[in-house]
């Protein structure tokens, strides 16, 4: 899953980026409102962590612009402001949740997990498909109850497919959500990761839809 952090405090931006990457996300970052708005307007993110007090363009304006332009990705706002009216303004502008500074990183991680899974239509932190289970909190994958080891790319691929199981996902979409903006993207590498993942969770779990992409689903006996 791919996230955007828009936070002008460089230390906090770096801390958020490190924590979210360690949790298995692909993360892009911006340090001002104009850059953040541009990235959110042109790249497909699964969620955004957005500070309200930004230079060049404040976070509230960034959010309002995104929503006016039909951008629907979940947004978690960060605010140092204690007034309830500022939090209400953020929610009314289109934010899905907020965290007040200072905060514990675990709270941000939990709220991001919740936003991403709810946007994909899931209520639980455990995603399952057949005998495959992913615990989002622990970053743990099991097959038939036994844990398996995945590389970071394999984990991201499985997580994205599980969040969108039953749907056909194109190679382009997978590439856009597996790599950050600076990565030299090659959709052919997706085929390699799909092949590796099939060996670990079962070849029939990921179906190739010729000319369209891939679909994760329980293997059929037919």
């Amino acid at each position: 899953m791919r996230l955007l952090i828009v936070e002008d405090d460089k230390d906090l931006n770096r801390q958020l980026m490190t924590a979210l990457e360690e949790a298995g996300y692909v993360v892009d970052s911006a340090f001002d409102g104009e850059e953040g708005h541009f990235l959110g307007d042109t790249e497909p993110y699964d969620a955004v962590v957005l500070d309200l007090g930004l230079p060049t363009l404040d976070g509230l304006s960034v959010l309002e612009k995104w929503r006016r332009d039909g951008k629907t990705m979940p947004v978690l706002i960060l605010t140092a402001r204690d007034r309830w009216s500022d939090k209400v303004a953020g929610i009314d502008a289109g934010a899905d949740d907020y965290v007040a500074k200072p905060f514990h990183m675990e709270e941000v991680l939990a709220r991001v997990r919740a936003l991403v899974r709810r946007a994909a239509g899931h209520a639980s932190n455990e995603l399952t498909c057949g005998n495959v289970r992913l615990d989002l909190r622990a970053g743990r994958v099991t097959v038939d109850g036994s844990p398996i080891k995945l590389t970071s790319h394999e984990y991201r691929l499985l997580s994205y497919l599980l969040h969108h199981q039953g749907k056909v996902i194109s190679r382009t979409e997978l590439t856009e959500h597996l790599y950050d903006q600076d990565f030299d993207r090659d959709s052919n590498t997706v085929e390699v990761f799909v092949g590796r993942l099939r060996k670990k969770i079962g070849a029939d779990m990921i179906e190739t839809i010729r000319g369209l992409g891939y679909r994760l689903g329980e293997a059929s006996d037919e």
Side-chain angles (χ1 to χ4, degrees):
M1 311 299 282
R2 189 175 172 199
L3 307 180
L4 171 64
I5 299 169
V6 190
E7 166 61 62
D8 63 314
D9 183 313
K10 292 185 178 180
D11 288 337
L12 182 55
N13 192 310
R14 184 174 60 252
Q15 291 168 15
L16 285 164
M17 192 168 187
T18 298
L20 289 164
E21 286 179 338
E22 289 178 351
Y25 298 100
V26 177
V27 185
D28 294 329
S29 67
F31 298 94
D32 63 67
E34 287 188 357
E35 181 186 13
H37 172 262
F38 174 77
L39 287 174
D41 200 42
T42 57
E43 297 288 338
Y45 293 106
D46 297 293
V48 177
V49 179
L50 175 68
D51 184 35
L52 289 186
L54 294 169
T56 70
L57 187 66
D58 67 271
L60 205 59
S61 297
V62 171
L63 182 54
E64 288 172 339
K65 280 172 162 277
W66 283 338
R67 295 315 191 215
R68 279 200 305 270
D69 292 339
K71 302 299 178 182
T72 60
M73 66 282 198
V75 174
L76 173 69
I77 56 173
L78 305 179
T79 175
R81 305 166 188 172
D82 295 326
R83 292 186 304 168
W84 64 266
S85 58
D86 291 319
K87 298 170 185 176
V88 170
I91 298 297
D92 283 344
D96 299 271
D97 201 355
Y98 69 85
V99 174
K101 299 176 183 179
F103 52 77
H104 292 285
M105 195 62 71
E106 285 299 323
E107 181 181 3
V108 173
L109 292 173
R111 291 181 182 275
V112 167
R113 283 196 301 269
L115 290 179
V116 170
R117 73 169 187 263
R118 285 201 298 265
H122 300 284
S124 171
N125 268 316
E126 289 193 348
L127 305 181
T128 61
C129 183
N131 60 352
V132 178
R133 180 183 299 270
L134 168 60
D135 184 334
L136 294 170
R137 284 173 295 193
R140 185 171 181 262
V141 178
T142 59
V143 176
D144 286 326
S146 300
I148 63 171
K149 291 184 178 180
L150 299 178
T151 66
S152 60
H153 284 96
E154 291 166 355
Y155 177 88
R156 292 168 184 166
L157 174 62
L158 178 60
S159 176
Y160 195 82
L161 290 174
L162 276 168
H163 274 88
H164 302 282
Q165 61 182 284
K167 300 177 182 178
V168 179
I169 308 297
S170 70
R171 290 181 179 87
T172 299
E173 182 176 346
L174 285 172
T175 301
E176 289 176 338
H177 289 265
L178 287 176
Y179 306 117
D180 62 40
Q181 60 172 333
D182 296 324
F183 193 87
D184 184 14
R185 299 171 183 173
D186 180 359
S187 63
N188 291 327
T189 60
V190 170
E191 296 180 22
V192 175
F193 293 131
V194 168
R196 292 177 182 173
L197 193 55
R198 280 175 169 150
K199 293 179 181 178
K200 296 182 179 182
I201 69 172
D204 295 333
M205 291 296 294
I206 304 176
E207 180 184 4
T208 298
I209 309 299
R210 190 172 299 276
L212 296 176
Y214 302 98
R215 178 169 58 203
L216 182 72
E218 295 186 49
S220 173
D221 293 331
E222 297 180 3

